Each structure stands twice: as structure tokens, then as C-alpha cells.
Amino acid sequence: MATTDDYGQGVSIATLTDAPDAETLARNIANAITSRSVMRFASSAARTAALAGDAAPVEGMVSWLQDTNLLYVYDGTAWRPLSTLLMDWTPLASVGGFAPGFTAGTPVPRMRKLVSMGTEVWEYEGRINITSLAPATTTTMFTFSGAHRPTNGRGFQVYNSSHHGARLTITQTGPMVVSVPAEAGSGVAVVYLDGVRITNPAS
């Protein structure tokens, strides 16, 4: 009588008392390995056609679609992408405008939007050059257009050209504001956006 694997994964294993059947033995092993590996399909339609009947998807299955180049996991109800790119890296100049005295540096400041494990994430990177920044003062350096504003303001600590941290806030009304402590003086010439990340921007 066939038994199962030692890891509780339901893989059927023939025993010495089973009648010899090489085809069944091979099929049991192949089906078990395939259903528990990353299955590749040309499209969602091809996946639906292949995973039907006895091969219907079960919770925890993983698949890769070649047309979207995305990895999906089946949650028992539907195939969910593990990561979806909503907006590729886009220069800030294309999603809003710089305030006077602030310009794009190198690397170019930019943002992207994606869904990671079901959570929407906005990421930022790059350098903003500053002509003049008064210390201990909240100053607008950029304003985002409507589609790129979080529902509520978010605050961050970021690097700048001084030895002091800068406080950065991306507001719900559009302005991205920055302030440095009085100890930084008036010589701050750069603010870096690397590492700035908003999760659930609609919350």
C-alpha cells in the first residue's frame, strides 16, 4: 500500500508490497514535484487550461507567466501576483514641479509605484540640488501632481550635504518639504531621497 513523504506534503510513494507499476510510480513523483515547484505558462489562459479537473490549483501553488513576467501564488480563490509594477521609475519632473532654488541632481530624483505581496509601495531615490536653504525652517522643494500624493502626509529622515539629518515630509496636498536644524547652517546644498518609501499610500 502506497505511503506518503516524510515532510507531510502528500507525495505518494510506492512500497515494496505494491504491485510493480513503473508508470504510476513515475507519474506520482512527477506530479508531486511539478505541483510544488514554480510552474511556467505562456499566459493566464494557458494556465487556466492546464490547471483544470484533477490538476485544478490548490492553495499555495506558484506559477510564472511569460507574457507578464510576473510570479503568482494561488491563495485558494485566485492567482495573486507577488509583485506588480504600477509605475516604472519616473523622474520627479514628470510627476510635479520643483520650487525655485531646487533642481534635479545626479542621479536624477525619481519615483516608482508597485504592489509587493499585496501592499502598494511608492519608492523614491536620487538627489535634489539646493541653491539656498534657510536652517530651522520648513521649505517646499517640490510639489507633486494629484495622482502622486499620499492620502495622508508621511515624514522621513534623509541624508543631506551637512553632517546633520534633514526632516522630509511628503504632504497630502502635494508639497514635499524639507528642514534642517540650525546647527546645519545655511550651506546645505543637497538632499538625497534614497531609501524614502511609502507603504499603503491610500491609507
Side-chain angles (χ1 to χ4, degrees):
M1 180 178 179
T3 184
T4 57
D5 66 282
D6 294 337
Y7 297 94
Q9 297 302 297
V11 178
S12 181
I13 302 173
T15 64
L16 292 176
T17 57
D18 292 328
D21 190 335
E23 180 180 356
T24 298
L25 175 63
R27 183 177 298 278
N28 286 345
I29 294 173
N31 287 347
I33 292 173
T34 300
S35 64
R36 289 160 177 78
S37 64
V38 178
M39 296 174 285
R40 294 172 292 175
F41 301 97
S43 64
S44 61
R47 179 178 62 195
T48 299
L51 301 182
D54 292 340
V58 296
E59 186 174 358
M61 277 187 171
V62 179
S63 67
W64 173 267
L65 296 189
Q66 295 166 330
D67 58 348
T68 61
N69 287 328
L70 290 175
L71 195 64
Y72 296 79
V73 62
Y74 192 73
D75 65 2
T77 302
W79 289 98
R80 308 292 184 187
L82 294 183
S83 179
T84 302
L85 188 64
L86 302 178
M87 183 182 81
D88 205 352
W89 285 113
T90 302
L92 290 192
S94 297
V95 297
F98 287 97
F102 297 86
T103 57
T106 302
V108 172
R110 57 185 189 165
M111 71 175 293
R112 71 172 177 176
K113 302 177 183 179
L114 65 152
V115 175
S116 177
M117 298 298 289
T119 299
E120 185 170 353
V121 180
W122 294 2
E123 297 179 335
Y124 306 79
E125 66 178 17
R127 164 178 169 159
I128 295 178
N129 292 334
I130 304 170
T131 300
S132 178
L133 180 65
T137 302
T138 298
T139 304
T140 297
M141 60 179 181
F142 184 87
T143 299
F144 289 96
S145 58
H148 309 291
R149 302 173 182 177
T151 299
N152 292 290
R154 305 296 180 91
F156 310 91
Q157 286 287 329
V158 296
Y159 290 102
N160 62 85
S161 55
S162 77
H163 292 291
H164 302 275
R167 184 175 65 188
L168 177 78
T169 303
I170 300 176
T171 70
Q172 68 270 26
T173 55
M176 177 166 59
V177 301
V178 64
S179 63
V180 295
E183 292 79 3
S186 59
V188 175
V190 172
V191 168
Y192 298 96
L193 301 181
D194 303 307
V196 174
R197 188 173 188 265
I198 294 176
T199 56
N200 295 308
S203 65

